[in-house]
Structure formats: C-alpha cells, structure tokens
Amino acid sequence: MSLLSEKDFVVLGKFGAVYGINGWLKINSYTDIPEGIFDYTPWQVKFQGNWQTVTVSSWKRHSNGLIAKLTDINVREQAQAYVNAEIAVAANALPALDDGEYYWKDLMELKVVNEQGYDLGVVTDLMETGSNDVLVVKANRTDAFGKGERLIPYLDQTVIKQVDLTAKQITVDWDPAF
C-alpha cells in the first residue's frame, strides 16, 4: 500500500480486456508513442482505493495494439481483476522538459485569462485533435457571455501567449464570446 496521493501519479494508460488464457492483458497506451508506456516503471494500479505496484514481465505488439503480461499473473481469472484499471507512474518518474514545454497534468486547474484580463475559467481537461491539442476550459458560473465551457486551441504564441505555473495562470489571445 502506498502513502502517495492521487496527485503524485500520472495516468499513462489503461488495461483493456484479457487476452488468451495465460494472464495477458490488452494495453491502451496514452503516451505519444504507444510502446513508450513500457519505458516507465514501476507501474501503479489502483485497487479498492489503494495504489499498488505491478511489474510487467513481458509485452509485445499484437495486431494494431499492445498486450502485456504481469509478473505472477498466470491465468485468465487473475488477469480479469486488472481489466479497465488505470496504469500510472509516479510523477517524478517523468523526464524533465525543456523550457516552454509542459505535461498536460501541469496545465490542469490553471486559470485562463485573455490579454485584456477577462477570466475565461479553469482548465478541466485537454483533448488531442490530431492537428493540435485543445484546452477544455470550464467557465465561471457568472460568465458574462453565458458560456459553460470553452474549447481553446493550444497554439503556442498564436493563441497561448504565456503559461505561468507559479501564478497558476495561462494568458491567451481569445475572444471571450467564443
């Protein structure tokens, strides 16, 4: 059992369905390069509210996806307990980034204001669209434009003018009516 809290972990993927009878599981990777999920160890999996460490003994590509076998999981019934469980690693296991680069987790819950100082809301999620990432910003309840949510493209220098992690704020060039 770990004493670390939810915010000390970064979710990198999720276990999918059981594969075969020998305890293999399908892996849904959220990393840029799907196989990259195996570069991070040890994995943490949440069971009954507690984070537990699991070790991958083997993995391989299968069709268009990935499958993995966990140490000491040798039959389908044991693997079934992991189906749909999120795969996380300790946040400090992630490599340092260059200046101006951020992990999505770093942008969550940051206040978003436009260059005129209008409070657009708070980042609640990010989406990958293929062409660019998009900030999902939950507007304030008293939003003058009646917005509940805004989708703001993460276009560095064009739309995103400044990310200040210390002030917990993102400044954007964005019309609050959008």
Side-chain angles (χ1 to χ4, degrees):
M1 186 164 77
S2 175
L3 297 176
L4 298 173
S5 72
E6 193 81 28
K7 65 183 174 185
D8 295 317
F9 295 103
V10 176
V11 174
L12 297 181
K14 188 176 188 177
F15 287 106
V18 174
Y19 177 80
I21 61 170
N22 295 320
W24 288 77
L25 288 148
K26 293 181 180 179
I27 304 294
N28 299 310
S29 175
Y30 304 157
T31 57
D32 282 343
I33 300 168
E35 294 88 348
I37 193 168
F38 299 107
D39 293 339
Y40 301 97
T41 59
W43 284 1
Q44 303 292 323
V45 179
K46 197 171 193 177
F47 281 111
Q48 300 171 346
N50 295 315
W51 289 100
Q52 296 179 7
T53 302
V54 297
T55 306
V56 175
S57 61
S58 186
W59 70 271
K60 58 186 172 184
R61 279 205 145 284
H62 178 70
S63 297
N64 291 332
L66 301 168
I67 58 173
K69 184 159 181 351
L70 302 178
T71 302
D72 299 327
I73 304 297
N74 299 311
V75 295
R76 182 181 186 88
E77 292 73 21
Q78 288 175 309
Q80 189 66 42
Y82 292 89
V83 171
N84 293 324
E86 290 182 324
I87 300 165
V89 295
N92 61 10
L94 298 175
L97 297 174
D98 294 332
D99 286 342
E101 292 183 340
Y102 308 96
Y103 287 111
W104 281 13
K105 70 173 187 67
D106 297 332
L107 303 178
M108 297 299 291
E109 300 181 18
L110 293 187
K111 180 179 177 180
V112 180
V113 297
N114 72 3
E115 292 178 303
Q116 293 72 39
Y118 188 84
D119 184 351
L120 297 167
V122 176
V123 177
T124 58
D125 200 3
L126 289 109
M127 297 187 307
E128 191 174 354
T129 64
S131 58
N132 56 270
D133 296 333
V134 175
L135 298 174
V136 178
V137 179
K138 181 179 180 186
N140 301 310
R141 285 185 290 150
T142 57
D143 187 79
F145 295 89
K147 300 289 182 185
E149 181 179 86
R150 290 181 173 86
L151 301 177
I152 301 175
Y154 195 97
L155 298 171
D156 197 30
Q157 300 307 311
T158 307
V159 176
I160 306 298
K161 295 300 183 178
Q162 180 185 22
V163 176
D164 186 340
L165 296 179
T166 305
K168 298 185 183 284
Q169 181 172 296
I170 300 172
T171 304
V172 296
D173 180 5
W174 196 254
D175 183 343
F178 271 28

